[in-house]
Amino acid sequence: MGDSTVTTLKGREQAVAHPVADETTGRRTLLRPRTPRRPRLWFEIMLIAVSYWTYSLIRNAVPEQRAEALRNADWIWQLEQQLGLAFEQSVNHAVNSVTWLIVGMNYYYATLHFVVTLGVLVWLYRSHPGRYAATRLVLFTTTGFALVGYYLYPLAPPRLMNGQDFVDTVLVHQTWGSMASGDLKNMSNQYAAMPSMHIGWSLWAGLTIFALSTVPWARVLGLVYPVATLVVIVATANHFWLDAVGGVVCLAVGYGIALLWYGRQPYALPRRVAEPARRKRAADAPAPAAPATGASHSPGASDAPDDPETSNAPPRLRVPKQG
């Protein structure tokens, strides 16, 4: 045999891995669109409960700067008059003259704010899990920016203004459930009217229903709901219409942050969450082949599959007859 030759790596640089500090790596990671994950029920229940408790705690902990809140209310009212759009008092008096209507609006204001919002969250969780987290992010971000508004701009609602003829419809008609009047008013910050989260939440719910529902009448209700809420908050003298504008601005910020975080608007995300790669690989893996029971298939043997309970039994030995 000939002599074996050994080729040496001369003139070549040995590749050595060195950690490279890329200043843009962290930035690219932050800007990379997030992939929606399947929501977990226990986590979502805990998150919503803790978030609402925190929201209520912070909202009610904002100092009730009564004098400043009343001055801001006077300024808002004068601005609306200069714009020729100071219609809140007329709507308040007109609706208050119809008892069944204003009583219904009082209960609307006290209940649907929470019922519809939670109902839409449950519907998203069950029917649109791939869009749930992004849409929930919009709601939470909107609420967070509202808290900043309550702190920076205390505002009295029209029913608490001095020298004006607004009717506090909850007090007059003795309806229950409102945190704005009656015995419950001491549990809530009365001067946190700007922005209106009744509008922010109702517009969020309405847009979500309109964008994702396939039922025509439900989509119509999605559009009607925030408009009806605007009428209610004005008729009950709990907000100026400019408070509603503040709620819309906060909601727009919420959608903008969700767009930056996920790379797409929540409603454009896939309806279902993508299956994890590990689980998908396990599902796509071929089934293991059945173990061979012999070197060859003897003539006359049955072609039927082995019984699953006995397929691992050792092969039988044939003993020749002695005769």
Side-chain angles (χ1 to χ4, degrees):
M1 298 176 62
D3 297 335
S4 60
T5 58
V6 179
T7 304
T8 59
L9 298 176
K10 292 182 179 181
R12 298 183 183 179
E13 294 182 359
Q14 186 176 3
V16 180
H18 296 284
V20 180
D22 189 355
E23 297 180 356
T24 63
T25 300
R27 190 183 310 166
R28 289 174 181 173
T29 302
L30 290 175
L31 296 178
R32 183 182 61 195
R34 267 56 178 181
T35 302
R37 298 180 179 180
R38 182 176 297 277
R40 292 168 290 183
L41 181 60
W42 65 269
F43 176 79
E44 295 301 328
I45 293 175
M46 182 179 66
L47 180 63
I48 292 172
V50 172
S51 299
Y52 183 73
W53 175 79
T54 305
Y55 164 75
S56 300
L57 185 67
I58 296 176
R59 182 181 187 273
N60 297 333
V62 174
E64 292 194 0
Q65 301 168 338
R66 183 174 184 275
E68 183 179 357
L70 289 173
R71 285 196 302 269
N72 290 337
D74 289 336
W75 185 86
I76 291 286
W77 185 239
Q78 291 173 4
L79 174 62
E80 291 186 353
Q81 288 177 330
Q82 293 174 0
L83 295 173
L85 296 173
F87 52 78
E88 288 91 341
Q89 194 171 86
S90 300
V91 175
N92 174 240
H93 287 187
V95 178
N96 185 64
S97 63
V98 184
T99 302
W100 65 267
L101 182 58
I102 192 59
V103 168
M105 287 189 174
N106 284 342
Y107 288 126
Y108 181 114
Y109 184 88
T111 59
L112 292 191
H113 180 52
F114 305 103
V115 173
V116 174
T117 302
L118 288 176
V120 172
L121 282 172
V122 172
W123 174 61
L124 284 170
Y125 178 87
R126 291 176 58 88
S127 301
H128 298 267
R131 298 160 180 159
Y132 174 86
T135 313
R136 185 243 295 144
L137 176 62
V138 174
L139 180 66
F140 281 29
T141 306
T142 300
T143 306
F145 274 87
L147 291 175
V148 177
Y150 299 150
Y151 183 84
L152 296 179
Y153 195 78
L155 180 66
R159 59 186 175 76
L160 294 182
M161 291 179 66
N162 294 326
Q164 301 298 331
D165 193 24
F166 286 98
V167 179
D168 191 333
T169 59
V170 172
L171 285 179
V172 170
H173 298 281
Q174 297 296 311
T175 52
W176 56 267
S178 175
M179 299 292 288
S181 301
D183 296 334
L184 295 177
K185 66 182 180 181
N186 296 325
M187 300 172 58
S188 178
N189 182 4
Q190 298 298 291
Y191 303 105
M194 172 67 84
S196 169
M197 279 299 92
H198 274 76
I199 290 299
W201 289 11
S202 66
L203 186 57
W204 169 87
L207 290 175
T208 301
I209 294 172
F210 178 78
L212 300 181
S213 177
T214 58
V215 181
W217 63 264
R219 301 187 71 199
V220 172
L221 285 180
L223 296 178
V224 170
Y225 176 53
V227 177
T229 302
L230 176 61
V231 175
V232 167
I233 67 173
V234 170
T236 56
N238 280 296
H239 287 282
F240 299 99
W241 66 264
L242 281 175
D243 300 342
V245 175
V248 173
V249 171
C250 289
L251 184 64
V253 173
Y255 278 108
I257 290 179
L259 176 62
L260 290 175
W261 188 257
Y262 287 96
R264 282 186 287 176
Q265 285 292 355
Y267 311 135
L269 292 169
R271 179 174 181 173
R272 302 292 178 184
V273 181
E275 200 172 355
R278 184 181 304 174
R279 186 182 304 175
K280 187 175 181 180
R281 285 196 299 267
D284 294 341
T293 58
S296 60
H297 186 66
S298 58
S302 173
D303 293 332
D306 295 333
D307 187 273
E309 296 181 358
T310 61
S311 58
N312 294 326
R316 299 177 182 179
L317 297 177
R318 292 187 178 181
V319 180
K321 294 182 180 180
Q322 297 178 359

